[in-house]
Amino acid sequence: GGNEFCMNFDMRFGVRGSTCFCQMEVPLGLSPGGTGCVTLPGLIGPGRAFEMILGGIDVDADTAERWGLLNRCFPDTASCRDHVDELAARIASFPPHAVMAAKASLLAVERMPRREACLETLHLFNQTLAYPDARKRMEAFLGRGGQTRPGERDLQGTLSKL
């Protein structure tokens, strides 16, 4: 239930001391049925997935972060919430068409062979070029020195001015 539900989110964050993952089916005499055997190996690798699923072990937040089950773990709930809120606000500040196309490109790998996923990504990139907002942002980026050494050394500062 909970672990398999969580694995299907695009991003996962946790808190030291309170976040714990477990695939408990095998100790109960069952095989995971809710995508555990399908999703978990892609996130943490087959060997660690065997350890979690066959061993029915608990995985704490620090281990989950090292293994790739969590994007990040935080020392407390407040710092986790602050990070998630800031990240969500940052993503929401970007053009929606670019966010949707980037997500579709990332997900293409799951449903297509590599060559087709590359072609799909190129197609989505070309579609985003047609948006006037993309052109305006690229011109502003270049106008602020985005492709100069100083601009690239402070890329977040340059991007924040768009």
Side-chain angles (χ1 to χ4, degrees):
N3 187 42
E4 291 168 336
F5 179 69
C6 178
M7 283 189 289
N8 288 287
F9 290 125
D10 294 332
M11 294 179 259
R12 294 160 303 283
F13 303 95
V15 177
R16 279 183 198 96
S18 65
T19 301
C20 181
F21 298 95
C22 180
Q23 284 294 146
M24 65 193 180
E25 290 85 354
V26 171
L28 295 173
L30 303 168
S31 176
T35 74
C37 292
V38 175
T39 307
L40 194 58
L43 292 173
I44 66 174
R48 288 178 172 152
F50 276 117
E51 182 177 352
M52 264 188 89
I53 292 170
L54 299 181
I57 63 167
D58 285 346
V59 176
D60 62 48
D62 287 310
T63 304
E65 180 186 35
R66 268 194 325 275
W67 286 7
L69 190 52
L70 287 177
N71 291 56
R72 295 183 192 204
C73 72
F74 295 88
D76 54 64
T77 304
S79 59
C80 181
R81 171 57 53 201
D82 289 346
H83 175 77
V84 170
D85 288 347
E86 288 170 18
L87 180 60
R90 179 178 169 88
I91 293 168
S93 76
F94 300 145
H97 70 270
V99 173
M100 291 186 309
K103 183 173 177 177
S105 291
L106 287 163
L107 295 175
V109 174
E110 292 181 0
R111 60 183 172 78
M112 298 177 181
R114 180 172 163 58
R115 182 179 188 286
E116 284 77 11
C118 288
L119 291 172
E120 177 70 8
T121 296
L122 180 60
H123 171 72
L124 291 164
F125 170 77
N126 286 331
Q127 283 184 328
T128 61
L129 290 174
Y131 284 87
D133 188 45
R135 181 180 183 92
K136 184 176 97 177
R137 285 173 167 265
M138 282 298 298
E139 287 172 353
F141 176 74
L142 294 172
R144 289 182 171 87
Q147 285 197 314
T148 64
R149 186 158 176 80
E152 288 182 355
R153 291 187 64 85
D154 182 27
L155 195 54
Q156 292 306 311
T158 305
L159 289 171
S160 70
K161 295 172 188 164
L162 300 181

